[in-house]
Amino acid sequence: MTGSITAYMDEVGARPLRMSTADRAVLAIRDGELYAFSSLAVQITKPEERGSLLAAAAGRPGPVGKRMARLMLGTKSPYPEDVWLDACKRAVDTGDLQRVQMMLDQTMDKVANPSPALPGEVLRYAFGQNRAMARELIRWATPEQVAAAPSRLLCGAAYAHDLPMLTELRQKGLQPGDQAAPLLRPLLAAYDEQRVAHLLRDSLRVQPEDYEAMNVCLRAQAAAEALLERGMKLDGYLAWAAKQDVLLDTQAQEILDCLAEQQAQVNSVPEQNGPVLGGMSL
């Protein structure tokens, strides 16, 4: 059999078994028939059919696929968020960085009530599928888009030991949220505790009530001390650990005892109202 699928189906469509316009448009995408697709796409009005065409066009590799995707972006009616996310993921799978950027750039205009995290979900997917593309997308994305991304993106960079990407994400405002433990585990496994402690003091925000984070940091005293310096209460952790029936290993227990001793010494220092002479306050 020779010729294009589109031409063949046009011939079949002239027979009693007829295809819908949407089906013919999908075949035109697969066949790479840009002219046939452009004439068919304008006839599609049902939202679900338009969504299927957008996803198919976004996922077709090559320059023709990019032009087909651009045609679908030219329609005025917005797309549902789940449809848009699926199309963006398919665009990522083509490896076409400019196509993904084009779609992300039009998210606010082409999606009905998009959530702030939508572009970030695309960044996270790209990180799992195409690390080089993800790095470029993160550089290109706005701080607002990165800051609203899932915190799992930070964890992915930490597990990959990708310090440049981790730094870029933090500089653009992405934080671990209410649960920092999934991020701290790979950080402490990949880097020395002094570097992690510096991150906790400098730019990595951990909620004072995130005692699971302290539980992780009890394997690295410098990191645990940094959490206390940033406002976490040791008494609060102890109450949480008792409620959770946490069993600490020898190293963690030693660090916890050391922290408690340090805090007791700080609390026992008398307030000095005058100069000190020979260890006595005047």
Side-chain angles (χ1 to χ4, degrees):
M1 176 177 149
T2 61
S4 70
I5 299 174
T6 305
Y8 172 76
M9 296 312 300
D10 281 342
E11 177 65 22
V12 172
R15 313 289 177 172
L17 179 62
R18 294 188 175 275
M19 298 182 63
S20 70
T21 303
D23 290 336
R24 294 173 63 197
V26 170
L27 287 176
I29 293 173
R30 296 176 181 175
D31 199 41
E33 294 285 350
L34 180 60
Y35 177 78
F37 174 75
S38 61
S39 63
L40 292 168
V42 295
Q43 303 176 42
I44 308 300
T45 58
K46 294 182 179 179
E48 61 275 14
E49 293 180 347
R50 290 178 58 253
S52 297
L53 285 185
L54 173 67
R60 191 190 194 284
V64 172
K66 182 188 294 185
R67 294 180 66 180
M68 289 177 171
R70 187 176 289 113
L71 284 173
M72 294 307 300
L73 296 181
T75 59
K76 295 182 179 180
S77 300
Y79 293 96
E81 182 169 321
D82 59 335
V83 170
W84 187 261
L85 179 59
D86 178 49
C88 287
K89 289 180 177 180
R90 295 192 187 202
V92 169
D93 292 338
T94 68
D96 188 341
L97 173 63
Q98 293 182 346
R99 186 184 311 195
V100 181
Q101 290 176 329
M102 173 183 70
M103 297 190 66
L104 287 177
D105 196 40
Q106 298 196 45
T107 297
M108 298 303 296
D109 296 328
K110 299 302 179 182
V111 180
N113 301 317
S115 65
L118 179 56
E121 288 287 354
V122 180
L123 298 179
R124 186 182 70 85
Y125 180 80
F127 181 83
Q129 302 298 317
N130 189 326
R131 189 76 54 78
M133 175 187 286
R135 188 173 288 107
E136 293 301 320
L137 288 174
I138 290 169
R139 289 198 190 101
W140 169 84
T142 66
E144 292 78 14
Q145 290 174 330
V146 174
S151 60
R152 295 189 300 276
L153 185 55
L154 272 176
C155 298
Y159 275 111
H161 300 180
D162 195 334
L163 187 57
M165 183 176 290
L166 189 65
T167 301
E168 183 83 19
L169 291 170
R170 289 189 300 103
Q171 289 177 344
K172 287 196 169 183
L174 184 58
Q175 293 291 336
D178 296 334
Q179 295 183 333
L183 172 61
L184 290 170
R185 288 191 185 95
L187 282 178
L188 289 169
Y191 306 109
D192 64 85
E193 63 180 84
Q194 294 297 335
R195 175 173 289 186
V196 177
H198 174 73
L199 290 176
L200 291 170
R201 292 186 179 100
D202 179 54
S203 59
L204 198 61
R205 296 194 297 272
V206 176
Q207 300 298 324
E209 295 78 22
D210 187 359
Y211 299 120
E212 181 68 30
M214 173 61 81
N215 206 52
V216 172
C217 288
L218 283 179
R219 279 70 182 172
Q221 184 168 340
E225 290 173 349
L227 289 180
L228 295 178
E229 292 174 15
R230 298 294 291 175
M232 188 171 291
K233 301 299 183 183
L234 193 59
D235 290 344
Y237 166 76
L238 292 173
W240 173 86
K243 186 177 181 179
Q244 300 292 325
D245 292 328
V246 173
L247 297 177
L248 298 177
D249 57 30
T250 302
Q251 179 187 4
Q253 187 62 53
E254 289 177 352
I255 292 176
L256 180 60
D257 293 341
C258 183
L259 294 175
E261 183 178 350
Q262 291 176 359
Q263 192 169 80
Q265 290 176 354
V266 171
N267 294 335
S268 65
V269 174
E271 184 177 353
Q272 297 177 358
N273 296 321
V276 177
L277 179 60
M280 298 178 62
S281 298
L282 300 180

